[in-house]
Amino acid sequence: KKGMSCYRERRKGCRKRKSVRGCVVGPDLATLSLVLLKKGSEEIPGLTDDQRPRRLGPKRASHIRKLFALEKKDDVRNFVVRREVNEKKKKAPKIQRLVTPAMLQRKRYFRSQTRQRMVLSKKLKQEYSKRVVEYRQEQKELRAAEVAKKKKEKKAAK
């Protein structure tokens, strides 16, 4: 038999949600995974009695601005929450969605590229339409010459 004894796959590629015991709690269980939903009147020692700060600060530029109530002109890089690894080394996250001069330059470049492509395609379209008109005129003249030739031959045959 393929797979695990505690998992019955309903369809190929499904996530394994293993249920061995169900909801039965007994003294033979080593650990329980619980989530605190509502705090009562009393404190739970070691869980709700001490206030521990969050280990990590925000990583996104707008979230850092929101946390420190910064203006648009303030530099977000000075307000990143840094974490001390040891006396010499500090760690800080790489700020995401940070508007930098390089990013603005890239944006300008891409926009200008798009504009250039539009102008070029417009020019090529005009040239093509001009060529099509010329070609049609040539074809018309050739056809007219052919028809005139046939008429001439008909007259000569009579």
Side-chain angles (χ1 to χ4, degrees):
K1 191 180 165 188
K2 199 167 114 250
M4 285 155 215
S5 60
C6 60
Y7 177 69
R8 188 164 72 87
E9 197 173 36
R10 307 300 194 279
R11 184 191 282 181
K12 277 270 181 228
C14 283
R15 261 170 57 188
K16 291 185 184 77
R17 285 205 181 93
K18 291 181 259 179
S19 61
V20 182
R21 292 184 61 99
C23 61
V24 180
V25 177
D28 55 338
L29 288 179
T31 57
L32 276 176
S33 180
L34 300 171
V35 176
L36 203 64
L37 292 176
K38 192 177 175 188
K39 187 182 160 190
S41 57
E42 300 267 326
E43 297 284 340
I44 302 168
L47 194 64
T48 60
D49 56 352
D50 61 332
Q51 286 288 322
R52 284 171 45 217
R54 285 175 61 189
R55 187 171 158 270
L56 301 172
K59 186 179 168 84
R60 193 187 293 179
S62 60
H63 291 180
I64 296 168
R65 273 195 198 96
K66 189 178 169 189
L67 178 68
F68 294 106
L70 303 175
E71 297 291 315
K72 189 107 174 160
K73 62 180 180 285
D74 293 327
D75 192 10
V76 178
R77 287 171 288 195
N78 303 333
F79 293 89
V80 178
V81 178
R82 293 177 189 282
R83 179 167 71 85
E84 209 171 292
V85 180
N86 50 40
E87 293 89 46
K88 296 172 192 168
K89 195 172 181 188
K90 285 185 175 183
K91 269 189 165 183
K94 178 179 178 280
I95 305 168
Q96 300 296 316
R97 299 194 188 178
L98 185 66
V99 180
T100 59
M103 202 194 77
L104 292 172
Q105 184 180 3
R106 199 176 305 123
K107 192 177 178 181
R108 281 196 303 271
Y109 172 72
F110 286 139
R111 287 228 173 124
S112 72
Q113 290 291 90
T114 309
R115 263 188 230 106
Q116 283 174 7
R117 279 198 300 269
M118 283 166 69
V119 168
L120 182 68
S121 66
K122 202 173 182 182
K123 190 177 120 189
L124 289 172
K125 189 181 174 186
Q126 283 175 348
E127 285 174 11
Y128 174 75
S129 60
K130 199 185 284 181
R131 179 71 189 103
V132 165
V133 168
E134 284 173 16
Y135 176 76
R136 286 212 179 116
Q137 191 63 34
E138 285 170 18
Q139 291 298 316
K140 206 183 269 183
E141 285 168 7
L142 283 170
R143 182 107 177 94
E146 219 173 272
V147 169
K149 189 180 173 188
K150 279 185 181 174
K151 272 188 181 176
K152 203 176 189 183
E153 284 175 7
K154 258 187 182 177
K155 272 188 179 178
K158 280 184 185 179

